[in-house]
Amino acid sequence: MRADYVIVGAGSAGCAIAYRLAEAGKQVLIIEHGGSDRGPFIQMPAALSYPMNMKMYDWGMKSEPEPHLGGRRLVTPRGKVIGGSSSINGMIYVRGHARDFDHWAESGADGWAYADVLPYFKRMESWDDGGHGGDPSWRGSDGPLHITRGPRRNPLTRAFVEAGRQAGYPVTADYNGERQEGFGPFDATIYKGHRWSAASAYLRPALKRPNCKITRALARRIIIEDGKAAGVEVSHGSKVEVIGANAEVIIAASSINSPKLLMLSGIGPASHLAEHGIDVVVDRPGVGQNLQDHLELYIQQASTQPVSLFSHWNLRGKARIGAEWVLWRTGLGSSNQFESAGFIRSRAGVEYPDIQFHFLPIAVSYDGKVAPEGHGFQAHVGPMRSKSRGEVTLRSADPKENPRILFNYMSDPQDWVDFRQCIRLTREIFAQEAFAPFRGHEIQPGDDAQSDEALDDFIREHVESAYHPCGTCRMGRRDDPMAVVDPHGAVIGVDHLRVADSSIFPRVTNGNTNAPSIMVGEKMADHILRRHPLPPIDDQPWIHPDWATTQR
């Protein structure tokens, strides 16, 4: 089996690359270990808590015991299904702040400044503001990726934005447009009541072309001959074979599995590879390093009125929601229920937002367990730019074994300061007049948790991953010893091999990472095709004029 371009991973970036290469007439073969995304638990937006907890859709990885979180092992869901993690995520669409990408360029990712990536965000989007405002000139209108907004009918959802305004923060009509900072409606990869994953947007249209195919297999290692990637060794059950690549191999297997595959192929820290008896092809000490993620807390408040989604959190209510969705693709089942957002700065002197809020009109955890108090609401909140770094390393040389993941969460002392500030700023927002008709007691952390020590105990016990791991095959200049790929995604030291997914991020972006992962696929496709990049767009984002001296 051969193709011009062999892509490992039918996830967010891999699907976009396959679509653009196939569109250009190239022969493309995608290797994906996961199966179909046709099940209702994936396709119904409100059922988002199910697929990330199902073995048939998720790789089932966990972190090592985290030393700064009391030895807790945190789940690390990654999509093992076509569409990858875009098929099991919360469907929230956040480009990231303009300054994120300027930082990438300053860090050695030449050609990845905001002006360079903005045209690719526009190319991939088909945006519908749902009547909630925003400037369409900042957005794309005819791309493959449909982006919509929920109806925002729940009074709690509207109260959150109004409370942000009452607390002195700006209101933004489109955090993905000119102004991220402020409170406003969430964008979501939902279309006509369905999850609009990378599989729906990119992969299915690509597979309709005769020059694009997919095979279900586990990638074991990259075959490298005379310093060039020649193909991919894969297994189907007990059968092992090699899929040849005439032009290039492109790894898009996630920030966890992409470094794993490089190391299994002899590309990585030489001493670590030697520990596992793997012959070193290229000593790249940065492979698997620079692991980053977002952590978040659920700040939960009881509701004194029965207006939260708890009314539907029973067998009859769920059956009713499911039936309406199955019949008409409408109702509560057609929304992920994350319909209001907030991006704020933690303190004066921070140039652009470093705290994100996801508001939810129910008190519930990601595993679907509701708070015993019943009716309530919550904000997921966390800092965006932690300096803590971890690593992905091999557990063994067995390709079937998940790698060892150590995020090293909360290892930087500033993380504790930032999380305490997150809690206190959230409490201030919930204390505004907009919530007065609904506000009951604080469920968690609870009114007794006021001191730094009490808040630290709560953080240590309750903080959870926001599922945004990235950075483990960092993009940089070719003379950077810790860079893994150059700004064209080419693996430094091996020809005809690229990496293109969230693993190449130099630093995690501001917000959910699915949108920039897809953008990476879009932009890398042009590099692979040796096309001139799209012309830069020099639109300047809104930055608070008094950011140096005021927090809001």
Side-chain angles (χ1 to χ4, degrees), residues 63-64 66-69 72-76 291-295 386 388-390 405-412 415-416 463-469:
S63 76
E64 295 298 294
E66 291 289 341
H68 304 280
L69 297 180
R72 291 167 57 208
R73 300 185 68 197
L74 273 63
V75 293
T76 309
L291 175 63
Q292 301 163 60
D293 191 16
H294 289 143
L295 282 175
S386 168
S388 295
R389 296 292 182 270
I405 306 164
L406 180 67
F407 285 98
N408 207 23
Y409 290 126
M410 304 297 290
S411 56
D412 190 283
D415 292 343
W416 298 91
V463 77
E464 296 289 347
S465 171
Y467 311 139
H468 302 157

Side-chain angles (χ1 to χ4, degrees), residues 413-432:
Q414 187 64 37
D415 292 343
W416 298 91
V417 176
D418 291 344
F419 258 111
R420 286 183 224 126
Q421 181 75 337
C422 285
I423 296 169
R424 289 173 171 140
L425 291 173
T426 307
R427 284 172 161 170
E428 183 189 16
I429 291 163
F430 281 174
Q432 298 300 312

Side-chain angles (χ1 to χ4, degrees), residues 112 137 441:
W112 289 82
S137 69
H441 68 279

Side-chain angles (χ1 to χ4, degrees), residues 52-210:
M52 67 176 62
N53 291 293
M54 297 173 70
K55 290 182 179 180
M56 67 184 295
Y57 298 133
D58 173 41
W59 284 86
M61 293 183 273
K62 285 187 176 182
S63 76
E64 295 298 294
E66 291 289 341
H68 304 280
L69 297 180
R72 291 167 57 208
R73 300 185 68 197
L74 273 63
V75 293
T76 309
R78 293 290 87 193
K80 188 177 68 174
V81 56
I82 64 166
S85 294
S86 77
S87 290
I88 68 167
N89 68 2
M91 291 154 283
I92 293 167
Y93 183 87
V94 182
R95 287 173 169 179
H97 196 280
R99 290 288 186 263
D100 292 330
F101 303 103
D102 292 342
H103 178 270
W104 285 14
E106 292 160 6
S107 303
D110 300 319
W112 289 82
Y114 183 61
D116 303 309
V117 302
L118 181 55
Y120 288 96
F121 279 119
K122 286 189 170 187
R123 182 170 85 177
M124 70 198 227
E125 292 176 349
S126 186
W127 179 67
D128 180 355
D129 73 356
H132 298 299
D135 182 352
S137 69
W138 281 78
R139 307 302 297 272
S141 59
D142 57 0
L145 191 70
H146 285 282
I147 299 148
T148 60
R149 291 174 172 178
R152 306 181 76 215
R153 297 190 188 102
N154 190 287
L156 295 167
T157 296
R158 298 192 299 272
F160 181 68
V161 175
E162 177 59 16
R165 187 192 67 77
Q166 291 172 351
Y169 298 103
V171 172
T172 178
D174 183 11
Y175 63 81
N176 281 314
E178 180 181 13
R179 177 188 291 205
Q180 186 189 69
E181 186 168 342
F183 287 72
F186 251 134
D187 282 348
T189 49
I190 297 171
Y191 183 54
K192 295 184 177 179
H194 278 271
R195 176 191 292 272
W196 198 251
S197 66
S200 299
Y202 290 99
L203 185 61
R204 289 197 178 88
L207 291 174
K208 290 178 181 177
R209 297 178 181 273

Side-chain angles (χ1 to χ4, degrees), residues 17-26 28 123 206 209 211 531:
I17 294 169
Y19 177 92
R20 295 301 178 188
L21 297 185
E23 180 184 57
K26 305 300 182 182
V28 180
R123 182 170 85 177
R209 297 178 181 273
N211 56 324
R531 290 175 171 167

Side-chain angles (χ1 to χ4, degrees), residues 242-447:
V242 173
I243 296 174
N246 299 326
E248 291 188 10
V249 173
I250 302 148
I251 302 174
S254 84
S255 58
I256 308 300
N257 282 324
S258 289
K260 170 191 167 185
L261 187 56
L262 285 177
M263 288 185 279
L264 289 173
S265 308
I267 304 164
S271 58
H272 178 59
L273 301 185
E275 288 173 14
H276 295 287
I278 298 171
D279 292 337
V280 178
V281 175
V282 179
D283 180 10
R284 295 305 304 175
V287 174
Q289 301 302 301
N290 193 46
L291 175 63
Q292 301 163 60
D293 191 16
H294 289 143
L295 282 175
E296 63 183 12
L297 289 167
Y298 304 164
I299 309 303
Q300 297 180 332
Q301 196 92 24
S303 176
T304 57
Q305 293 193 44
V307 294
S308 80
L309 299 177
F310 182 73
S311 299
H312 310 279
W313 214 261
N314 52 65
L315 193 58
R316 181 177 295 177
K318 290 180 180 181
R320 190 182 302 116
I321 290 170
E324 182 176 355
W325 183 82
V326 168
L327 291 171
W328 300 292
R329 302 296 189 263
T330 59
L332 291 173
S334 64
S335 170
N336 60 0
Q337 306 307 327
F338 289 107
E339 296 181 355
S340 286
F343 292 88
I344 65 173
R345 292 175 296 111
S346 60
R347 58 191 180 276
V350 175
E351 185 187 17
Y352 64 100
D354 61 340
I355 293 175
Q356 180 187 15
F357 295 102
H358 302 70
F359 181 77
L360 198 59
I362 186 172
V364 68
S365 59
Y366 251 128
D367 62 8
K369 295 177 182 176
V370 295
E373 281 83 351
H375 283 284
F377 50 92
Q378 69 189 37
H380 301 198
V381 63
M384 290 292 97
R385 295 189 289 280
S386 168
K387 293 180 181 177
S388 295
R389 296 292 182 270
E391 64 179 9
V392 173
T393 52
L394 294 177
R395 197 173 299 279
S396 76
D398 182 357
K400 294 178 182 176
E401 193 163 9
N402 284 332
R404 180 179 174 273
I405 306 164
L406 180 67
F407 285 98
N408 207 23
Y409 290 126
M410 304 297 290
S411 56
D412 190 283
Q414 187 64 37
D415 292 343
W416 298 91
V417 176
D418 291 344
F419 258 111
R420 286 183 224 126
Q421 181 75 337
C422 285
I423 296 169
R424 289 173 171 140
L425 291 173
T426 307
R427 284 172 161 170
E428 183 189 16
I429 291 163
F430 281 174
Q432 298 300 312
E433 183 63 24
F435 278 116
F438 314 107
R439 186 173 52 247
H441 68 279
E442 184 175 280
I443 300 171
Q444 65 173 37
D447 294 332

